[in-house]
Amino acid sequence: MASHQSSILTAPKMHFYDGLARAGGDVEIHAENLDLWEAGIEAGNVLLAGTLYSASGTGAGTITLDVPGILNDGYNGFTNSEGTKVNLAKNQLFAHGSIKMPVKPAEGDLLNTQLEIRSVRVARNIWAGKDLGDTLEGWNNNVALDRLTLSGFVTANDGVRFDFEPPAGSGNGALYVRDLYLGVQTALPSVTVDYGKMIRCNGVKIYYMNCYLREEIDYLSGTYRWVLQDSFPGVNAGIIQTKNHPDFVEAPVAGVVALTSDEMNFGIQPGEPESLQ
């Protein structure tokens, strides 16, 4: 499904399997129960988003996941009719503006889902996870996320910001994420980026396991690599490296050898990160 405008998908129960939802504006999903399996969602148009100051519910590219019941993103796979266990590829969500989760699902997480938010100025994100502290309970039935990438482009005069807030009236919350990728680009090597100030935790703490920083190798060719950090590269009391998290084990994929963290540090990638194809 593709649209140059915003798209709203509504159903009591929704099974989104091996599909792509793309819109030049917002993408909203409203379902009591949602199966999000091997799905791609892309919201927003970079040219439109660049003309808007605050990227939230404006057509700049907000993804809304409104699922009060059961959210199943395929983390545990499924058993087919022949009794064989089937592992599912990770879901890919790409927002040129922001993410909005107005209610926490009664059951489910997003540990098989990768989300990228590309801020154009101010990305006002709403996240419904509960703040259960640095505990294992925070990763269970609390919309815990596999990967969050924060990207954007800053110049000497124009910066970007990522705000994280809980739904109105819900009290303080938290976003639990396994891998936090910080990928804001600068116009010139002389332009500095302060992630501690760029990310604002307005009632939502971020608990992360690993943090990766985008490192430019050649500004002219656009090559870069992701470098694993010892800790979050900045000062922000709302961003906490967790000491209590599940023991994640990647599902084996035939013919694919998983990279170690050290090997990932030296993976040079050409050009810009691609959005959904």
Side-chain angles (χ1 to χ4, degrees):
M1 181 200 74
S3 172
H4 293 293
Q5 300 180 352
S6 295
S7 296
I8 300 176
L9 306 177
T10 304
K13 296 182 179 180
M14 189 179 300
H15 186 61
F16 195 157
Y17 184 16
D18 191 24
L20 171 63
R22 169 183 279 161
D26 300 336
V27 175
E28 298 184 21
I29 294 180
H30 302 270
E32 180 67 26
N33 299 324
L34 172 64
D35 291 335
L36 196 66
W37 293 1
E38 297 187 344
I41 301 175
E42 182 172 7
N45 179 288
V46 68
L47 296 178
L48 171 63
T51 67
L52 302 173
Y53 178 76
S54 177
S56 177
T58 59
T62 296
I63 295 175
T64 296
L65 293 179
D66 179 16
V67 184
I70 299 174
L71 174 59
N72 178 359
D73 81 333
Y75 179 68
N76 293 315
F78 69 95
T79 302
N80 63 19
S81 58
E82 298 177 351
T84 302
K85 177 68 178 295
V86 178
N87 295 316
L88 294 168
K90 294 181 179 181
N91 302 298
Q92 304 290 331
L93 278 57
F94 189 95
H96 286 282
S98 61
I99 184 75
K100 181 178 180 181
M101 185 177 294
V103 62
K104 188 186 83 68
E107 179 182 328
D109 291 295
L110 290 169
L111 290 171
N112 201 44
T113 300
Q114 299 180 343
L115 166 65
E116 178 170 353
I117 303 169
R118 184 173 180 85
S119 175
V120 293
R121 286 296 177 267
V122 182
R124 303 189 188 281
N125 305 288
I126 297 175
W127 197 262
K130 290 185 177 180
D131 186 0
L132 299 177
D134 184 7
T135 64
L136 285 174
E137 288 76 15
W139 297 85
N140 185 37
N141 289 330
N142 198 27
V143 287
L145 184 63
D146 174 69
R147 171 173 169 170
L148 172 63
T149 300
L150 302 178
S151 61
F153 187 80
V154 298
T155 68
N157 299 316
D158 297 315
V160 297
R161 203 175 83 206
F162 303 88
D163 291 359
F164 289 89
E165 304 174 1
S170 65
N172 291 338
L175 191 163
Y176 292 79
V177 58
R178 175 183 175 181
D179 295 321
L180 176 62
Y181 281 70
L182 304 174
V184 172
Q185 298 172 255
T186 59
L188 296 169
S190 58
V191 178
T192 59
V193 173
D194 187 342
Y195 284 104
K197 295 179 179 179
M198 188 178 297
I199 303 172
R200 297 194 180 183
C201 300
N202 300 328
V204 171
K205 292 180 180 178
I206 298 176
Y207 295 92
Y208 73 93
M209 179 176 167
N210 303 307
C211 182
Y212 294 87
L213 189 64
R214 176 182 168 127
E215 180 182 276
E216 301 289 344
I217 298 172
D218 189 325
Y219 277 83
L220 295 179
S221 66
T223 53
Y224 66 97
R225 64 184 175 185
W226 293 108
V227 180
L228 179 64
Q229 307 294 294
D230 291 330
S231 60
F232 176 76
V235 178
N236 189 317
I239 302 176
I240 302 164
Q241 187 169 29
T242 178
K243 297 179 181 178
N244 299 288
H245 54 78
D247 292 326
F248 293 103
V249 178
E250 296 289 351
V253 179
V256 176
V257 178
L259 297 177
T260 65
S261 295
D262 288 338
E263 290 171 327
M264 290 179 68
N265 290 351
F266 300 96
I268 298 175
Q269 303 180 51
E272 291 299 303
E274 294 182 357
S275 59
L276 303 178
Q277 299 300 315

